[in-house]
Amino acid sequence: MAAADGSHGVVWPGEGLARVPYDLYTDPSIYAGEQARIFRGPVWNFLCLAAEIPVPGDYKTTFIGDTPVIVVRDLDGAINALENRCAHRGALVCYKARGNARMLTCAYHSWVYDLKGGLRSVAFERGINGQGGMPDSFAKSAHGLKRLRVAEYAGLVFASFSDAAPAIDAYLGPEIAARVERVLPRPIKVTGYNRQLLANNWKLYVENNKDSYHASLLHTFFTTFRLNRLSQKGGIIVDASGGHHVSYSIMASEQTDRAYEDAAIRSAKQDYRLADASLVAGRDEFGDGISLQILSIFPAFVMQQVQNSLAVRQILPKGTGQTELIWTYYGFADDDAAMDMIRLKQSNLVGPAGYVSLEDGAIGGFVQRAIAGATGQASVLEMGGRGVESQATRATETSVRGFWRAYRQAMGI
Amino acid sequence: MDVATQFAVENLLARYVHALDDDRLEEWPGFFTDPCVYKIVSAENYGRGLPIGVIYADSQGMLRDRVSALREANVFEPHRYRHLVTSTLIAAGDGGLATARSNYQVVRIMQDGRASLFSTGLYIDRISFAGPAPLFAEKLVVFDNGLIDTLLAIPL
Ligand SMILES: [Fe+2]
């Protein structure tokens, strides 16, 4: 097979981005190819918020695709990303989820690394009483932890295995970068985590985030309160690569919405009212009237503003049919007590039990189950046309097609 | 702690979990005072003092809204729970409130008959005896298994 070909025998239908082969969600060789060509390829992978490791020595363990990674603030205050695999016998160097350390010591044979990944000492390097020990030819400088490229942008920490990834601002492009900065304008505080195990391929959750078409159809809670109607003002921005997107909508109005009620869609229940409307009493904190912004960065990172609920979502593949989804919620360091309470109440909208997100935990599994036996077949992506471009409507699948453009480019398929 | 209080708290817990397991969700808000606090939060967030959980409500109205949403808006595969609650320890109350700490486990049963341990953790309850029947003034559900399988719909 030619080096440029990452298809693993999957044939893309002639309709191009308007079709997606189901085999991409189930084939173990595709999954392995994604690890090499995407996650360890020329992309920027989200690791953490810089605010999670504020103090020198603070570290956190995470993953890039399947690969375990340590992200650590060194004694100079710089953030490093290191493969979490001892250069000796391949054990996890950090086996705790987080901590603070001056040095990183592998538990297995006590090899010690500094916070930049350099191997500093090897236990019994000179042996014991002149017996054993490493040969003279062993050079510690050649056996550090693999150090990845790191980029910090607006308080987000990314890493890349590849020298071919462009600088982070070029990777994001100006339109995406501006919307990242919009929701990270000043110092933040991390307010909590949630983790979910999804019974679906990682790409189904990525697509779900880019799929503005489903938002008010699957998530009927939001629609009923006129917070996320497709006919509401808003739109989709897709970057030049296709891999990143922003979906946004402008603050809800009280006007009735003919497009929905005429269609008698299940979500347009007129008699449904909140008993306690404090849930949706928020602030236009960014001063632009945008009440919802979902932003994705290729390959597997999402930022969310749902009213005043702010979070980032890290999407970790765990085999062809499983995905771990990690929500990290944040507010701003200068939030007052009333804002803390608004964010706490609006956290009900999102997360594993979120009024407008709990369905997303299950819907990918519905697809994953349904495509068993669908080898050689494909799904249809024609809402909003067959192309990839920014559109002034959310009734489109343009950003989902954009994902597949970037995916095909990266995979050579 | 006197036997009558222990009995009253365990009886409240038993009636509460039977209402949930029997799908009598409309009765669920009635187990709380108004205002109240009901919060489901991971042991990780709780232990680190991080406020965000999975569900937060501070009024009976917010609890009723959760039920309305489950009945009318939210979409999920049919399932039910079986709660086990045990080891209830009651601390001396203040201001008419008792604090009770109980272990719980919730088995989730899917429509195809598969059952699995969905949630395990602690109930940390503050219970009001001000009215004719004891009520939860505050119920913290602190779950140990921070990796939630698929979604959480029905309250714990
Ligand atoms: Fe969704």
Side-chain angles (χ1 to χ4, degrees), chain A residues 19-349:
Chain A
R19 297 290 182 275
V20 181
Y22 289 130
D23 292 318
L24 297 176
Y25 307 105
T26 57
D27 185 332
S29 65
I30 288 285
Y31 183 88
E34 290 166 349
Q35 296 299 318
R37 289 173 174 262
I38 296 178
F39 294 104
R40 293 195 299 273
V43 303
W44 287 103
N45 299 279
F46 173 80
L47 292 184
C48 70
L49 298 165
E52 293 180 88
I53 49 170
V55 175
D58 281 355
Y59 71 84
K60 173 177 177 169
T61 60
T62 182
F63 295 87
I64 292 179
D66 283 338
T67 307
V69 172
I70 305 161
V71 56
V72 59
R73 190 178 293 274
D74 66 27
L75 302 181
D76 302 326
I79 294 176
N80 303 313
L82 310 169
E83 260 196 275
N84 190 4
R85 185 174 62 244
C86 185
H88 178 213
R89 300 307 313 279
L92 292 174
V93 174
C94 292
Y95 56 86
K96 295 179 182 171
R98 71 187 65 78
N100 183 280
R102 303 286 105 175
M103 292 281 171
L104 303 174
T105 303
C106 179
Y108 201 170
H109 302 92
S110 293
W111 285 30
V112 177
Y113 301 88
D114 62 39
L115 302 184
K116 299 179 195 297
L119 178 60
R120 299 293 287 270
S121 76
V122 169
F124 305 126
E125 185 176 4
R126 296 283 156 251
I128 300 171
N129 298 327
Q131 307 265 294
M134 299 298 273
D136 291 340
S137 61
F138 179 78
K140 289 202 290 289
S141 60
H143 296 275
L145 299 177
K146 182 175 173 56
R147 193 171 171 185
L148 313 185
R149 291 175 68 197
V150 170
E152 188 177 337
Y153 194 89
L156 306 174
V157 179
F158 297 92
S160 182
F161 277 90
S162 170
D163 291 334
I168 189 70
D169 46 355
Y171 183 74
L172 297 174
E175 288 186 298
I176 303 297
R179 272 71 178 189
V180 171
E181 291 172 23
R182 176 181 170 272
V183 287
L184 287 169
R186 59 188 189 278
I188 63 165
K189 57 183 179 187
V190 173
T191 53
Y193 301 90
N194 275 312
R195 300 171 206 280
Q196 269 175 282
L197 187 62
L198 310 180
N200 57 260
N201 187 271
W202 67 277
K203 299 186 293 299
L204 287 168
Y205 189 76
V206 171
E207 289 181 276
N208 174 272
N209 279 281
K210 291 173 181 280
D211 175 0
S212 52
Y213 177 32
H214 90 283
S216 52
L217 301 169
L218 177 64
H219 307 301
T220 65
F221 181 92
F222 226 32
T223 313
T224 305
F225 293 95
R226 288 143 171 88
L227 295 166
N228 191 29
R229 302 213 159 199
L230 281 177
S231 47
Q232 195 173 314
K233 200 160 170 267
I236 308 288
I237 300 164
V238 188
D239 83 309
S241 76
H244 322 311
H245 99 291
V246 178
S247 167
Y248 64 95
S249 57
I250 310 286
M251 208 68 88
S253 69
E254 288 303 313
Q255 72 200 21
T256 57
D257 206 321
R258 299 291 301 247
Y260 272 80
E261 278 138 28
D262 291 355
I265 286 170
R266 174 174 58 91
S267 55
K269 290 199 178 80
Q270 303 237 18
D271 55 341
Y272 185 29
R273 292 289 179 271
L274 284 180
D276 185 340
S278 68
L279 177 76
V280 289
R283 295 179 185 169
D284 180 18
E285 64 176 310
F286 302 115
D288 55 12
I290 293 175
S291 57
L292 178 135
Q293 175 180 292
I294 303 295
L295 183 155
S296 67
I297 296 174
F298 191 81
F301 177 62
V302 174
M303 302 180 74
Q304 156 225 304
Q305 175 220 344
V306 178
Q307 300 194 24
N308 299 115
S309 176
L310 306 176
V312 297
R313 308 179 196 165
Q314 186 182 18
I315 300 159
L316 297 177
K318 298 289 175 188
T320 53
Q322 276 201 324
T323 299
E324 196 171 315
L325 170 60
I326 303 170
W327 307 71
T328 303
Y329 301 77
Y330 68 92
F332 297 107
D334 59 2
D335 281 349
D336 58 22
M339 197 65 188
D340 288 343
M341 181 53 72
I342 289 169
R343 295 199 206 281
L344 178 59
K345 288 200 177 189
Q346 293 190 354
S347 70
N348 285 289
L349 295 170

Side-chain angles (χ1 to χ4, degrees), chain B residues 7 17 31 43 45 57 70 73 80-81 91 101 106 109 124 137 149:
Chain B
F7 177 82
V17 299
F31 288 99
N45 287 352
L70 292 181
R80 59 192 175 85
Y81 289 163
R101 177 186 162 105
V106 172
I109 304 100
I124 303 173
D149 182 20

Side-chain angles (χ1 to χ4, degrees), chain B residues 36-86:
Chain B
C36 58
V37 171
Y38 175 76
K39 184 173 181 178
I40 301 178
V41 61
S42 69
E44 179 190 357
N45 287 352
Y46 184 73
R48 295 172 68 186
L50 299 171
I52 297 294
V54 175
I55 290 180
Y56 176 85
D58 63 7
S59 70
Q60 274 198 6
M62 286 187 78
L63 298 175
R64 287 203 303 277
D65 290 336
R66 180 59 68 169
V67 175
S68 306
L70 292 181
R71 294 293 194 217
E72 308 204 32
N74 288 126
V75 177
F76 50 91
E77 192 174 352
H79 62 276
R80 59 192 175 85
Y81 289 163
R82 185 66 64 197
H83 281 73
L84 305 174
V85 181
T86 185

